[in-house]
Structures are given as C-alpha cells and as structure tokens.
Amino acid sequence: MWRGSGKTVLANFLTESSDITEYNPTQGVRILEFENPHVTSNNKGTGCEFELWDCGGDPKFESCWPALMKDSHGVVIIFNADIPSHLKEIEMWYSCFVQQQFLQDTQCLLIAHHKPGSGSGKGNLSLSPPLNKLKLVHSNLEDDPEEIRMEFIKYLKSIINSVSESRDREEMSIIT
C-alpha cells in the first residue's frame, strides 16, 4: 500500500492488464475489472468477474479510503519487503482496511513484493500478532511469476467461498 512498492505492476500482472513500463504513482485509485476462468461460483463453469482497486499509497489520498473500503470483500496488502518502514506500517493498513471493515483474516492477503534486481529472496519475515495469522506470500515477477499468480487464484477462490457462504447464511435467515 506504499508508494513505490510495486502495487500497480503486480496488479497489472495478476489481472493480465497492460504493462506499464515507467513508474507513475497511482493517483487515488485505479479500478481494474477482470474475469478469471480459474475461479468459478456455484459450479456454473464460467469465470467470476472481479474488480481490483489499485489504491494509491500516498497519504494525501487518505480521505478517499472510506469510499474504497465500502462493500469490499477482500483486501490485498502489498508491501516492499526490502524497505523496513513498510514492515512497521502494515499494522496500520491492516487495522484500517481489514479490522475496521469487520473483514475476517481469511479475507486478507499480504504480499511481500520483491522488485526485480532487489536480490532479496523469501527470507523469513517475522510479523507480530495479529499479522502473523494472515496468509503471507512473496512475489518476485522476475524469478517465479507463476507462483504469485497461483497464490492469487487461491485467494480469489477463498473470497468467492466467503461471499457465497455469507449469502447462503443471509438467505437462510430470511427463510427462517
């Protein structure tokens, strides 16, 4: 969620959107609509449609965050694992975007993004509670791009299951 952490590059990769060759900080939010054929709902066999909201990491956009969070089903927190200050700020993002929105921990995915040429691997990141309960994946689009794509698909499937279960409970409460 920070400036320069690689959110936009990763978002473009995961949604198979156009490549951005030069760094341009996201102003406010950029909404990517995409369909994933590997994620289906109710065994219909067709891919689910998603919206991924690429939120600019500059604090000057903080006033926009409530609108971005409204009715969200999941949160992906992307940070540059090579910048120590990012590790310290994850708790603030988690509190704001997950806890205050009453999302479950399973609806949050942490991605430690390693930029090309950073030389960093998947070193052990020690996260303090409650962050250590969250799913944490490392991404390096240079070394193993398919690993992060597969983890993202797993995450999308878990979000679809969560939304379906919530709707089922809601329907049952109306019936009874």
Side-chain angles (χ1 to χ4, degrees):
M1 302 289 256
W2 293 267
R3 288 180 281 179
S5 65
K7 295 180 305 295
T8 296
V9 170
L10 197 53
N12 285 345
F13 173 75
L14 294 172
T15 61
E16 298 180 4
S17 298
S18 65
D19 291 331
I20 293 179
T21 55
E22 63 183 58
Y23 176 67
N24 253 335
T26 302
Q27 301 298 308
V29 68
R30 190 175 65 105
I31 301 172
L32 300 168
E33 295 178 351
F34 67 102
E35 184 176 320
N36 192 303
H38 303 290
V39 182
T40 59
S41 175
N42 298 333
N43 300 321
K44 292 178 185 170
T46 58
C48 289
E49 293 182 3
F50 297 92
E51 283 185 358
L52 188 147
W53 291 36
D54 178 7
C55 172
D58 194 316
K60 73 180 179 185
F61 299 116
E62 190 172 349
S63 62
C64 302
W65 294 348
L68 302 179
M69 295 181 272
K70 185 175 174 12
D71 299 328
S72 64
H73 297 292
V75 174
V76 178
I77 298 175
I78 299 170
F79 61 97
N80 184 332
D82 305 319
I83 300 177
S85 63
H86 285 196
L87 296 173
K88 292 177 183 150
E89 295 175 29
I90 297 170
E91 279 189 51
M92 184 275 295
W93 291 99
Y94 172 74
S95 172
C96 184
F97 280 81
V98 179
Q99 289 179 319
Q100 292 176 27
Q101 302 309 308
F102 303 105
L103 295 176
Q104 301 297 312
D105 285 348
T106 56
Q107 292 170 276
C108 180
L109 176 65
L110 293 178
I111 299 180
H113 187 59
H114 302 274
K115 290 184 168 186
S118 68
S120 295
K122 297 179 183 179
N124 283 342
L125 286 177
S126 64
L127 299 173
S128 58
L131 300 176
N132 61 353
K133 297 181 208 153
L134 302 175
K135 172 78 174 171
L136 169 67
V137 297
H138 290 263
S139 73
N140 186 325
L141 298 181
E142 202 171 55
D143 293 346
D144 194 356
E146 288 313 306
E147 181 180 355
I148 188 62
R149 190 184 313 272
M150 295 313 296
E151 290 292 342
F152 187 64
I153 289 170
K154 281 190 227 173
Y155 171 71
L156 292 177
K157 287 178 178 178
S158 74
I159 294 299
I160 291 298
N161 288 338
S162 172
V163 169
S164 295
E165 288 171 8
S166 176
R167 284 194 182 136
D168 289 349
R169 280 192 303 275
E170 197 174 297
E171 288 171 6
M172 289 307 288
S173 70
I174 292 171
I175 293 170
T176 55

